[in-house]
Amino acid sequence: VFIEELLAWASGEIAHLTGTDAGLVTTGSAAGILLSTAACLTGNDRQRMQALPKTDGWKNEVVMQKQHRIGFDHAVGVAGGHIVEVGEVAGTTIDHIKAGLSDKTAAILHVALEPSPTVALEQVANLAHRHGIPVIVDAAAELPPVSNLSAFSEAGCDLVIFSGGKQVSGPNDSGILCGRGDLVEAARLQAFPNGGIGRPLKGGK
């Protein structure tokens, strides 16, 4: 097959199943974080894609709630993003997130955790969108239920990441990225078979 045609077909299937604009097969959730961050940093600017991970002078900050810091969030830095941690040990409020936003904020990365003293996704999305900031959701282990395939996008997030190697029972090096069409397209342009920063994240045939 032509890889581009296979990816286009897979994107359509993912979009249909998740109720989003577009989808992309990834090599796991950490790859999804990297590609999502890269997409938010560059948009469809090809010159910026080639410049990654050098992002000096750009919007390159990714806001995260303190409780959402995980061992895989270094993927943000690999893409060229800089994490701005907000909140306190006891919990994070919407005011903490608001204070962390600036003219350099490229995205908010929200990790689906249950339960935790954090701000709900709907509140985060409402705040982010008032400032024109996209929201990435790491929902790696949030399947089942099947309803979660669409729940996070319906809650207002722009990009959603699922692991294929957990309850989906796919290969460990598999995952799904879905969401807003322009951002998924920016991620696709930086992934195999293209030559962007996601080129090493190549799924096996």
Side-chain angles (χ1 to χ4, degrees):
V1 299
F2 289 105
I3 294 297
E4 292 87 346
E5 292 179 359
L6 178 61
L7 289 175
W9 172 83
S11 174
E13 291 294 298
I14 292 169
H16 173 71
L17 290 168
T18 60
T20 58
D21 295 339
L24 182 68
V25 176
T26 70
T27 53
S29 298
I33 293 172
L34 191 157
L35 290 170
S36 295
T37 301
C40 293
L41 291 171
T42 68
N44 284 313
D45 188 320
R46 301 297 183 104
Q47 289 185 319
R48 289 197 167 192
M49 290 178 187
Q50 291 301 314
L52 291 182
K54 297 177 182 178
T55 60
D56 292 342
W58 305 3
K59 288 185 176 183
N60 61 4
E61 294 180 352
V62 177
V63 173
M64 292 189 70
Q65 299 183 53
K66 190 176 190 70
Q67 293 77 17
H68 290 184
R69 297 300 305 277
I70 56 174
F72 306 110
D73 62 24
H74 63 277
V76 170
V78 174
H82 299 277
I83 292 175
V84 174
E85 183 181 295
V86 298
E88 300 173 354
V89 174
T92 301
T93 68
I94 194 69
D95 287 334
H96 287 138
I97 298 175
K98 191 180 300 183
L101 303 181
S102 74
D103 59 3
K104 295 198 70 178
T105 305
I108 295 176
L109 176 54
H110 185 99
V111 179
L113 295 173
E114 200 71 53
S116 64
T118 60
V119 183
L121 175 58
E122 291 87 349
Q123 286 183 276
V124 174
N126 286 336
L127 172 65
H129 293 160
R130 287 201 302 271
H131 291 82
I133 297 167
V135 177
I136 304 165
V137 174
D138 178 356
E142 299 306 306
L143 295 173
V146 173
S147 59
N148 274 355
L149 283 171
S150 59
F152 297 101
S153 58
E154 289 171 356
C157 75
D158 299 278
L159 290 169
V160 191
I161 300 156
F162 295 107
S163 171
K166 294 183 173 67
Q167 280 77 11
V168 175
S169 300
N172 284 334
D173 60 340
S174 67
I176 294 170
L177 172 62
C178 59
R180 214 173 84 190
D182 61 323
L183 291 175
V184 174
E185 175 66 5
R188 185 190 68 78
L189 290 172
Q190 300 183 75
F192 173 77
N194 301 300
I197 198 163
R199 172 74 190 197
L201 308 171
K202 184 189 298 185
K205 290 181 174 65

